[in-house]
């Protein structure tokens, strides 16, 4: 039994409720604040701060059920980790940018900052639920509480926050989490190191043929796995923080207890009914 078990269990409940996008309580911020360019993911160009043409007066998407058919695949793989509703309902106390146009520019500018802070909360929450990290629970809790405090700053304070510096501080403990989890994987599966290739952060694995590969406990932080073939691969206890899984073939792959996987990564990949992934994530509707 972990120390601080009650606190950790409450974090898991909070994770399910507040670290997921809740578009019903958001002012369509991702549809306005973020830029995109015409590409395979987006049918048109849009500048930051410019409302998408599909955004309706009630802050809902007019083509939500047809996004992929209409060329907006990028929208279907995006997740704000709850930044949209937190900024809308907490930071701005339910006052939207149409009602208060003077605050619109500021709201759009601080949205990416809130997004990054909420993402860190997702990672820290996950790290705290892992038995391998029990020795650093106090440090992880401190980092989580400080990150939560930053999400409650005023709009002016969020605007000038050095979020990159805070990410660097938190990353020290996320890296340590990765080391502890992957060390545990090696202890549990002593034959791993003799059969695996070694991958470093940001490894170029675009289009790699890794069907059936044993990637248990692998370091795939920031790896480029675009269109890689990972059918039937074993990625349990692998670190996937920041890995690019666009069009990665995960059919039949086991990611059931991999580390730092997010909903947006799963959404960007290809999978099927045999793909295993953490219970905190949902199977994308567009998967076969």
């Amino acid at each position: 039994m972990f120390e601080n078990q009650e606190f950790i269990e409450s974090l898991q409940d909070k994770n399910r409720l507040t670290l997921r996008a809740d578009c019903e309580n958001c002012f369509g911020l991702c549809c306005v604040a973020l830029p995109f360019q015409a590409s395979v993911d987006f049918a048109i160009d849009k500048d930051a701060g410019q409302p998408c043409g599909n955004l309706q007066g009630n802050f809902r998407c007019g083509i939500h059920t047809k996004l992929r058919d209409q060329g907006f695949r990028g929208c279907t793989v995006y997740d704000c980790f709850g930044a949209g509703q937190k900024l809308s309902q907490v930071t701005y106390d339910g006052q939207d940018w149409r009602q208060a146009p003077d605050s619109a520019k500021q709201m759009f500018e601080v949205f990416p900052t809130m997004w990054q802070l909420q993402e860190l909360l997702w990672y820290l929450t996950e790290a705290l639920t892992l038995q391998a990290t029990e020795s650093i629970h106090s440090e992880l809790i401190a980092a989580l509480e400080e990150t939560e405090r930053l999400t409650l700053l005023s709009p002016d304070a969020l605007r000038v926050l050095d979020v990159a510096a805070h990410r660097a501080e938190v990353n020290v403990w996320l890296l340590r989490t990765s080391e502890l989890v992957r060390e545990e994987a090696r202890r549990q599966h002593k034959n791993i190191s003799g059969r695996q290739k070694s991958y470093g952060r940001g490894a170029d694995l675009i289009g790699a043929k890794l069907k059936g590969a044993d990637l248990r406990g692998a370091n795939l932080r920031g790896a480029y796995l675009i269109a890689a073939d990972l059918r039937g691969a074993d990625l349990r206890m692998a670190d996937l923080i920041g890995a690019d899984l666009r069009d990665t073939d995960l059919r039949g792959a086991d990611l059931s207890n991999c580390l730092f996987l997010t909903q947006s990564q799963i959404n960007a990949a290809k999978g099927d009914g045999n793909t295993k992934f953490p219970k905190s994530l949902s199977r994308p509707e567009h998967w076969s």
Side-chain angles (χ1 to χ4, degrees):
M1 182 69 72
F2 301 163
E3 294 180 9
N4 306 302
Q5 186 68 23
E6 185 176 344
F7 176 78
I8 291 167
E9 288 176 356
S10 71
L11 279 178
Q12 291 175 303
D13 292 338
K14 177 183 176 182
N15 184 313
R16 286 190 288 269
L17 294 172
T18 66
L19 297 179
R20 290 176 177 272
D22 177 7
C23 298
E24 293 295 320
N25 288 298
C26 177
F27 301 143
L29 294 180
C30 65
C31 305
V32 186
L34 304 179
F36 51 73
Q37 295 181 327
S39 63
V40 67
D41 291 321
F42 296 100
I44 59 174
D45 292 326
K46 190 189 82 64
D47 294 329
Q50 172 190 346
C52 174
N54 299 310
L55 185 66
Q56 302 178 121
N58 62 354
F59 302 114
R60 301 294 174 265
C61 175
I63 60 168
H64 178 71
T65 60
K66 301 180 291 184
L67 282 166
R68 285 185 167 255
D69 293 338
Q70 296 292 321
F72 288 86
R73 185 180 72 161
C75 298
T76 69
V77 305
Y78 176 74
D79 182 70
C80 73
F81 299 98
Q85 68 262 25
K86 192 159 196 176
L87 203 63
S88 299
Q89 303 301 329
V90 179
T91 311
Y92 285 92
D93 197 25
Q95 187 174 55
D96 69 64
W97 49 273
R98 286 183 173 137
Q99 293 174 326
D102 291 343
S103 68
K105 184 174 185 295
Q106 182 188 62
M107 190 181 295
F108 303 150
E109 287 178 352
V110 301
F111 175 68
T113 296
M114 183 66 78
W115 177 18
Q116 292 186 67
L117 293 173
Q118 291 287 107
E119 181 184 22
L120 291 175
L121 287 176
W122 175 276
Y123 294 142
L124 287 166
T125 300
E126 179 179 346
L128 274 164
T129 66
L130 303 170
Q131 189 170 5
T133 65
E134 190 169 5
S135 63
I136 59 168
H137 273 186
S138 60
E139 290 85 358
L140 290 169
I141 289 172
L144 184 142
E145 290 178 339
E146 174 61 10
T147 304
E148 179 65 33
R149 184 189 71 81
L150 294 177
T151 68
L152 300 176
L153 291 174
S154 68
D156 288 335
L158 283 169
R159 196 173 191 177
V160 298
L161 177 67
D162 188 348
V163 71
H166 181 66
R167 286 189 74 102
E169 293 173 3
V170 171
N171 194 48
V172 171
W173 299 110
L174 298 182
L175 279 168
R176 184 58 184 147
T177 294
S178 176
E179 292 166 357
L180 289 169
V181 169
R182 292 185 293 110
E183 285 171 7
E184 178 65 21
R186 287 190 288 272
R187 283 194 295 270
Q188 291 182 12
H189 309 283
K190 299 184 186 302
N191 60 339
I192 287 179
S193 58
R195 305 206 319 265
Q196 282 187 340
K197 289 185 178 180
S198 177
Y199 300 110
R201 180 176 177 82
D204 184 354
L205 296 171
I206 297 174
K209 306 301 182 184
L210 295 168
K211 181 179 179 181
D214 182 358
L215 296 170
R216 288 174 295 174
N219 179 10
L220 295 170
R221 295 173 68 89
Y224 294 95
L225 287 158
I226 302 168
D229 183 356
L230 285 169
R231 286 175 294 167
D234 192 342
L235 291 116
R236 287 174 293 171
M237 303 176 85
D239 185 349
L240 289 170
I241 196 168
D244 193 334
L245 300 182
R246 283 177 292 171
D247 293 326
T248 306
D249 194 340
L250 297 177
R251 287 176 293 172
D254 189 349
L255 301 91
S256 54
N257 66 342
C258 64
L259 191 60
F260 300 137
L261 185 67
T262 68
Q263 188 66 52
S264 57
Q265 287 173 300
I266 282 287
N267 290 348
K270 298 176 180 178
D272 61 14
N274 294 317
T275 305
K276 299 177 183 178
F277 51 84
K279 293 180 180 179
S280 59
L281 304 177
S282 302
R283 190 173 302 277
E285 293 181 1
H286 58 271
W287 278 15
S288 58

